[in-house]
Amino acid sequence: MALKSANGTLWIVPNQSSYDICLSGQSLVAEMTPFMTKLCGRDCTSYKQTKPKPHIPYWRVEDFQTVKKAVYRFAGLDS
């Protein structure tokens, strides 16, 4: 699922027992990385794209409530 704004795209990618929350777009990455790091309690898991340099950071989470909080933050709403 992709949520788009003028600042970039928030991607939610379901896996077998987890979700990847991905940030695409320089403005969105700059805006939401501190929030995601605090929400998940750690730096990003890795990057979806690595060439020409690492970009599109993602956080792999197991709890859907974390996904919900990220989506609400992206939309500018209280969760």
Side-chain angles (χ1 to χ4, degrees), residues 19-30:
Y19 305 90
D20 289 351
I21 304 170
C22 313
L23 305 176
S24 175
Q26 290 180 357
S27 295
L28 184 63
V29 170

Side-chain angles (χ1 to χ4, degrees), residues 27-61:
S27 295
L28 184 63
V29 170
E31 176 188 331
M32 282 198 60
T33 294
F35 171 80
M36 290 300 301
T37 300
K38 184 176 179 182
L39 178 65
C40 297
R42 58 182 161 76
D43 289 334
C44 69
T45 302
S46 190
Y47 296 88
K48 292 291 183 177
Q49 298 289 325
T50 58
K51 303 222 187 275
K53 62 179 183 172
H55 61 289
I56 308 181
Y58 74 92
W59 287 259
R60 183 158 290 163
V61 299

